[in-house]
Amino acid sequence: MERPRQNPDQLLRAIRDDTSNKKQGKLKIFFGYAAGVGKTYAMLQAAHHAKERGIDVVAGYIEPHARPRTEALMDGLEQLPVMQIPYKDMLLRELDIDAALARRPQLILVDELAHTNAAGCRHAKRYQDVQELLNSGIDVYTTINVQHIESLNDTVASITGILVRERIPDSVFDQADQVELVDIEPTELLERLASGNIYREDQAERAAVNFFTVENLTALREIALRRCADRVNLITENARIQSQSDYHTDEHILVCLSSSPSNAKIIRTAARMARAFRGSFTALFVETPGAAEMKEEDKKRLRENMRLAEQLGAVIETSYGEDVPFQIAEFARLSGISKIVIGRSTVAKKGIFSKPTLTERLISNAPNMDIHVIPDASAENGYQQQKRKIAVAAMPVRDIVKSILVLLAATLIGYIFHALGFTEANIIAVYIFAVLVISVVTTNRLCGFIAAIVSVLVFNFFFTVPRFTFRFYDPDYPVTFTIMFMVALLTGTLATRLKDNAKQSARAAYRTKVLFETNQMLQKAADERAVMDAAAGQLMKLLNRDLVMYLSDGKELTIPSVFRAANSEQNALTTENEKAVAVWVLQNNKRAGATTDTLSNAKCLYYAIRVGQHVYGVIGIAMQELPLDSFENSVLLSILGECALALENIRNAKEKEEAAVLAKNEQLRANLLRAISHDLRTPLTSISGNAGNLLANYQKMDDSNRVQTFTDIYDDSIWLINLVENLLAITRIEGGQVHLTQSVELIEEVIAEALRHLGLKSQEHSIRVHSSQEMILARVDAKLIVQVLINLIDNAIKYTPAGSTIEVHTKREGKWVVVSVSDNGPGIPDEQKPRIFDMFYSGANKIADSRRSLGLGLSLCKSIVTAHGGKIWVEDHQPQGTEFTFTLPAGEVELYE
């Protein structure tokens, strides 16, 4: 059975990945389900075995557990000095990553992979230190427990009642080259704890009560075993995908992002589902009009949730609109989502007229979608109540003043209507219109609601009998007031929604406009610098922040370009520290700097301008302690993606051009070799044969035979000389090594010089020179133009029979000198004329002496004339024959008095 042909793009991607993997170090994780199972001990044993095999092993950081058997294994291993960072009244010990990179061993031991580094370290997390070591080609042995894996954090917390703060992304665990499960029975672990081999006595007692129970340890052991099995399944599926290019899964998991405290649990659950289904994973945030009013705490939590989703392998997307369930359902429908994961609080509806929950509305909007609802009551009640308090409290004074002014104007108009005898219905319409205006001109939704109530009270006070009191006599007024309030509230609410939708539409239109303009500008950019300038201009328009941009050749960064925004603080963005962050981003293909966990002391947030694993540049954005919002981040990533594609296209075009030049040069070399090996054989054989004949039979030959033999040798040698001259000239021109030495020359003298270098065959033809005036001057390189005339006249001699007439005409037309060489021979067929100046094209015409032409002469003529700025062409000569015409720049004689 024939195997299916692999997709070329997938094959190329696999080759690139394999190449990058060869540069990467190997990661081995010693995995356990609890402290004390022997992870560090097993790691140190493996390190000694590696050292015995001749591997250069260094202990980068080993946690001091105060366990004698473990400490004994440290003997015989080189230990790097740790970095000591003062914190309050103590010194914290951390891995010195710079010392590790400088030492550069083959294998380094780094204990406690999930550890959080102290402030002042390069990275916030130790696993990021390990990733940098791996990127530098250093193999790493490390340790971790099951409760430190991000997606299992909630599950472990529900078992043990302890929420672990130090966690690593699942991708770090799944992408490890080896995972060794260090496993012992829970009862044996409890015996170790009781004997003091894990913690000190006081710590052991607390651990036995709070964490180390048979039930907890058994459950954790089961989770660790299952997680290792999941990793094996993932490796199997990846191998299956690589071997069968048509294999894919249709599962696409969507998780909804929010600033809720419980959203992290929802994200982890969705990540586990995506991993279990082997499907795609997308995280969606719906930005509503109220998103700008979120507290800083909520914004920070939202950014953390987005970062968590990104760490777990999700693609972050943003949608804009007020109706959150509708936006989620539409995104799911358009993006081919198969399953939606969303959270649900345990807050119950308080009445039959209560508004449906977000979950219920989403189910209504997407009835055919698989929706997985994850309940959580941990903090949702307090969070919802806090949000409602915030919404009520936030009401700017400016909106209150606007509302009062509009209601005063409505009351004044009502007085005018009342004086003119208009009915109360017209006055009510005025107040409804006032509420509509208030809803449009104010920023807080509460203003429209309060204005609806106040408008009813004002109408009752000023325009109902008895006037200037809140009493009324007509029993129909309660119905009138109720309808007036409901209509005013409804129109105001609709006006507010229309205003919000208009803002969202304007924002989406602005985003589309920026991206469209960016795409157009990048398409027009002719080189890499123009691409960077265009992208920087668009980003400054969007962010209004200082930027610093670096181009990269794949190994190093070029000189930075700084772009200043209006009202810039003129901060130094190209210091050595800032450049070091940019270099780190180039080498590691990850963002770093301000607002991140890596080199967070930098002034800028640095992104790699990349396509896949290839980095084309680095951009730094001055943060000024103001992080990017979701809209800015979304547009920024889109622009950087467009910029990276434009840079890739430019470099691909350069590579194709260079490849074309190499191919052309290779073709030229092959043709020259063909000429030397085949086309030179005939004249060389003739010369050697005639010379041998003279040597053997010189005395026997009469004078006429001797002269004829010498003449043949001379003709063949002249042909070889001309051929070699053309070969040398064409190779110099094609290689760009010819530099014109132009001077003002008399064109008749140039023609005369060319005629003196013609061979003996020229005597068999009639060659005439005609000029339209006595002196025609041209600015030329005389030696090269002589070569052009020799080739054209020699071409006419070769392709016309003896006795033919060859004429050379010269004239001046404006700023050009026109030279033509014509003959009255058989001419050139029309189908051959378009290719007559191509290199190595000799056509179907036969030379008079049957010698083969290489097709270099006319190609050389075109190259020389073009180098002078002129043109050359061929046409029929009347009444018969061929005429070659070329132009040269005219010259003037400068007189100095």
Side-chain angles (χ1 to χ4, degrees):
M1 181 177 177
E2 184 180 358
R3 295 186 64 184
R5 182 177 180 269
Q6 281 192 309
N7 184 289
D9 294 335
Q10 292 181 345
L11 186 60
L12 180 59
R13 192 177 300 113
I15 293 172
R16 288 176 177 172
D17 292 343
D18 183 63
T19 303
S20 62
N21 288 337
K22 291 179 181 178
K23 300 177 183 177
Q24 287 278 112
K26 304 296 183 181
L27 175 63
K28 182 174 182 178
I29 296 177
F30 293 84
F31 186 50
Y33 65 87
V37 297
K39 302 181 299 298
T40 305
Y41 189 86
M43 178 178 70
L44 292 173
Q45 281 186 322
H48 279 285
H49 293 325
K51 186 176 180 181
E52 290 172 0
R53 297 195 303 269
I55 296 175
D56 181 17
V57 182
V58 168
Y61 180 87
I62 302 297
E63 189 69 27
H65 294 289
R67 299 167 188 166
R69 292 182 60 193
T70 303
E71 291 179 350
L73 285 177
M74 292 293 296
D75 295 337
L77 293 178
E78 178 186 349
Q79 299 183 48
L80 286 179
V82 296
M83 186 188 336
Q84 295 187 341
I85 299 177
Y87 177 74
K88 295 183 179 179
D89 297 331
M90 64 182 75
L91 285 176
L92 300 179
R93 302 170 69 253
E94 300 290 351
L95 169 67
D96 191 341
I97 187 170
D98 290 321
L101 292 173
R103 172 63 176 78
R104 200 171 183 81
Q106 290 178 274
L107 172 63
I108 188 169
L109 312 182
V110 181
D111 208 3
E112 300 292 347
L113 181 62
H115 172 73
T116 300
N117 292 332
C121 293
R122 179 180 304 177
H123 301 289
K125 298 287 187 178
R126 183 167 291 167
Y127 77 83
Q128 295 172 321
D129 294 334
V130 169
Q131 287 177 329
E132 185 167 353
L133 293 171
L134 294 172
N135 290 336
S136 300
I138 302 173
D139 295 342
V140 178
Y141 283 0
T142 188
T143 63
I144 194 172
N145 283 328
V146 66
Q147 63 264 32
H148 297 291
I149 296 181
E150 184 66 65
S151 65
L152 300 176
N153 182 258
D154 297 313
T155 305
V156 173
S158 66
I159 295 172
T160 63
I162 300 173
L163 183 64
V164 178
R165 300 294 180 185
E166 295 182 329
R167 304 185 291 268
I168 67 167
D170 287 55
S171 58
V172 176
F173 183 83
D174 291 330
Q175 293 172 7
D177 297 278
Q178 295 182 56
V179 173
E180 181 176 319
L181 179 64
V182 183
D183 182 48
I184 63 173
E185 290 291 335
T187 54
E188 184 180 349
L189 182 59
L190 290 174
E191 292 175 1
R192 288 188 182 182
L193 178 67
S195 61
N197 290 332
I198 299 178
Y199 297 124
R200 293 191 303 269
E201 184 176 353
D202 56 339
Q203 290 179 314
E205 291 178 358
R206 291 196 302 270
V209 174
N210 299 324
F211 188 87
F212 280 80
T213 65
V214 174
E215 293 81 4
N216 286 352
L217 295 178
T218 302
L220 292 175
R221 186 187 187 197
E222 179 183 352
I223 293 173
L225 290 169
R226 186 181 296 120
R227 188 64 183 85
C228 288
D230 289 342
R231 179 179 175 274
V232 172
N233 290 336
L234 181 63
I235 294 172
T236 304
E237 290 297 328
N238 288 338
R240 182 180 175 187
I241 291 172
Q242 291 178 1
S243 61
Q244 299 180 11
S245 59
D246 58 343
Y247 174 79
H248 67 280
T249 176
D250 292 331
E251 294 295 344
H252 191 172
I253 311 300
L254 174 68
V255 65
C256 302
L257 298 174
S258 73
S259 58
S260 168
S262 63
N263 192 234
K265 175 184 177 182
I266 314 302
I267 295 170
R268 295 188 190 100
T269 303
R272 288 197 298 269
M273 289 180 58
R275 191 178 303 109
F277 285 112
R278 308 288 185 263
S280 305
F281 185 27
T282 300
L284 174 67
F285 172 63
V286 179
E287 184 173 335
T288 62
E293 301 173 2
M294 281 197 303
K295 289 181 64 176
E296 190 60 36
E297 179 184 355
D298 290 334
K299 291 181 179 178
K300 181 180 179 182
R301 192 183 299 114
L302 175 62
R303 289 194 295 270
E304 291 174 352
N305 290 337
M306 286 184 170
R307 188 177 305 173
L308 172 62
E310 194 173 9
Q311 286 180 347
L312 293 175
V315 177
I316 308 298
E317 298 288 352
T318 304
S319 180
Y320 305 93
E322 184 178 11
D323 191 344
V324 175
F326 175 77
Q327 293 294 330
I328 295 173
E330 280 298 294
F331 180 87
R333 182 180 63 84
L334 296 174
S335 302
I337 301 296
S338 59
K339 290 177 174 58
I340 300 176
V341 181
I342 191 170
R344 175 180 64 84
S345 71
T346 57
V347 178
K349 292 172 63 175
K350 296 183 178 180
I352 59 174
F353 297 107
S354 298
K355 186 178 180 181
T357 63
L358 185 144
T359 305
E360 293 170 340
R361 290 159 58 200
L362 177 59
I363 294 173
S364 176
N365 278 287
N368 299 322
M369 189 76 63
D370 291 344
I371 300 176
H372 298 257
V373 182
I374 311 300
D376 183 58
S378 58
E380 197 68 21
N381 289 340
Y383 179 68
Q384 295 292 342
Q385 292 171 3
Q386 183 185 13
K387 288 206 312 185
R388 283 195 289 270
K389 289 179 182 178
I390 293 170
V392 173
M395 189 169 177
V397 176
R398 183 174 55 185
D399 288 349
I400 298 175
V401 173
K402 289 180 181 179
S403 301
I404 293 173
L405 292 176
V406 173
L407 288 175
L408 286 175
T411 303
L412 180 61
I413 295 173
Y415 261 108
I416 296 173
F417 281 14
H418 187 270
L420 295 175
F422 287 8
T423 62
E424 291 179 350
N426 293 312
I427 300 174
I428 290 173
V430 171
Y431 278 105
I432 292 174
F433 179 72
V435 174
L436 180 64
V437 172
I438 290 172
S439 300
V440 172
V441 299
T442 57
T443 59
N444 194 294
R445 298 186 177 193
L446 193 59
C447 292
F449 177 78
I450 296 176
I453 297 175
V454 173
S455 65
V456 174
L457 296 175
V458 171
F459 174 76
N460 180 26
F461 186 82
F462 287 104
F463 299 105
T464 61
V465 179
R467 299 176 64 188
F468 307 113
T469 67
F470 290 106
R471 293 179 297 166
F472 50 87
Y473 297 146
D474 192 336
D476 296 334
Y477 272 133
V479 177
T480 303
F481 293 158
T482 302
I483 294 176
M484 176 182 175
F485 170 73
M486 292 177 65
V487 172
L489 181 62
L490 180 62
T491 55
T493 303
L494 291 176
T496 302
R497 287 189 177 183
L498 287 174
K499 180 181 67 175
D500 292 338
N501 289 336
K503 289 180 180 178
Q504 295 288 350
S505 299
R507 200 168 190 182
Y510 177 72
R511 180 179 187 273
T512 304
K513 178 185 176 184
V514 169
L515 294 179
F516 180 72
E517 288 180 350
T518 304
N519 184 268
Q520 284 189 319
M521 295 173 68
L522 294 179
Q523 286 183 351
K524 294 178 181 177
D527 54 27
E528 294 177 344
R529 180 55 58 186
V531 169
M532 300 294 272
D533 291 343
Q538 292 299 97
L539 288 175
M540 289 181 63
K541 185 189 301 183
L542 171 71
L543 305 175
N544 194 29
R545 300 171 187 250
D546 292 347
L547 304 176
V548 57
M549 301 188 78
Y550 300 81
L551 281 171
S552 168
D553 59 1
K555 297 180 180 178
E556 296 180 351
L557 294 176
T558 60
I559 298 175
S561 299
V562 179
F563 302 86
R564 297 289 183 183
N567 303 320
S568 170
E569 296 181 1
Q570 301 294 323
N571 291 325
L573 304 181
T574 56
T575 62
E576 291 302 320
N577 290 336
E578 295 295 317
K579 289 181 181 178
V581 181
V583 170
W584 189 92
V585 171
L586 171 68
Q587 294 173 348
N588 294 273
N589 196 5
K590 294 180 180 179
R591 68 177 184 174
T595 73
T596 69
D597 293 336
T598 302
L599 302 169
S600 56
N601 293 329
K603 296 178 181 178
C604 294
L605 171 60
Y606 290 88
Y607 285 88
I609 304 174
R610 64 182 183 178
V611 176
Q613 297 300 316
H614 195 100
V615 180
Y616 293 97
V618 175
I619 180 172
I621 304 166
M623 285 290 100
Q624 302 169 355
E625 300 182 356
L626 295 174
L628 302 176
D629 59 32
S630 59
F631 175 78
E632 292 174 334
N633 188 66
S634 173
V635 181
L636 168 66
L637 295 178
S638 299
I639 291 177
L640 292 184
E642 292 282 347
C643 179
L645 288 175
L647 292 173
E648 184 178 53
N649 291 336
I650 289 176
R651 295 199 179 176
N652 287 343
K654 287 183 178 179
E655 290 175 0
K656 289 180 180 178
E657 184 178 348
E658 291 173 358
V661 171
L662 289 175
K664 185 177 180 181
N665 291 339
E666 184 64 24
Q667 183 64 36
L668 173 62
R669 187 181 70 86
N671 288 330
L672 291 178
L673 289 175
R674 175 183 60 83
I676 294 172
S677 62
H678 182 272
D679 297 324
L680 299 186
R681 186 178 302 166
T682 300
L684 289 175
T685 302
S686 175
I687 291 173
S688 62
N690 287 328
N693 189 26
L694 287 173
L695 289 173
N697 302 307
Y698 183 82
Q699 299 298 334
K700 300 177 181 178
M701 298 171 65
D702 54 24
D703 291 340
S704 61
N705 286 334
R706 293 193 195 101
V707 170
Q708 183 61 43
T709 302
F710 283 123
T711 301
D712 291 342
I713 293 174
Y714 175 79
D715 289 342
D716 287 331
S717 62
I718 290 296
W719 189 89
L720 285 174
I721 290 172
N722 291 335
L723 176 61
V724 171
E725 286 292 333
N726 284 337
L727 286 174
L728 293 175
I730 201 71
T731 52
R732 285 198 302 268
I733 291 176
E734 290 295 322
Q737 300 176 359
V738 173
H739 301 283
L740 298 181
T741 306
Q742 291 178 280
S743 59
V744 177
E745 302 286 346
L746 188 63
I747 199 66
E748 289 185 359
E749 294 181 354
V750 176
I751 296 172
E753 180 68 17
L755 293 177
R756 283 195 292 271
H757 287 79
L758 294 176
L760 296 177
K761 288 287 184 181
S762 62
Q763 299 176 4
E764 300 176 0
H765 296 72
S766 174
I767 300 176
R768 304 170 185 173
V769 179
H770 306 279
S771 179
S772 61
Q773 57 191 75
E774 291 185 359
M775 292 182 61
I776 299 179
L777 300 176
R779 180 170 293 277
V780 296
D781 187 320
K783 183 177 179 181
L784 294 178
I785 298 303
V786 166
Q787 185 69 40
V788 171
L789 289 168
I790 291 174
N791 287 349
L792 292 178
I793 298 173
D794 185 63
N795 193 69
I797 292 172
K798 289 189 293 184
Y799 286 98
T800 57
S804 299
T805 301
I806 300 172
E807 297 181 339
V808 181
H809 293 266
T810 60
K811 61 180 178 179
R812 178 165 177 169
E813 293 183 356
K815 297 181 179 181
W816 298 97
V817 174
V818 181
V819 181
S820 62
V821 178
S822 61
D823 61 65
N824 57 356
I828 300 175
D830 292 339
E831 61 271 14
Q832 296 183 15
K833 290 176 183 176
R835 297 190 57 194
I836 197 69
F837 294 104
D838 292 349
M839 193 180 302
F840 300 108
Y841 180 77
S842 57
N845 289 6
K846 294 183 179 180
I847 302 177
D849 59 2
S850 300
R851 183 177 289 123
R852 179 173 177 172
S853 171
L854 284 181
L856 291 177
L858 295 180
S859 175
L860 176 61
C861 292
K862 182 179 180 181
S863 298
I864 294 174
V865 172
T866 303
H868 280 79
K871 297 180 180 179
I872 186 171
W873 63 91
V874 62
E875 57 190 355
D876 293 334
H877 179 65
Q878 300 301 328
Q880 72 175 40
T882 302
E883 182 173 345
F884 287 89
T885 306
F886 62 93
T887 59
L888 298 170
E892 301 290 343
V893 177
E894 297 179 359
L895 300 178
Y896 298 94
E897 297 180 358

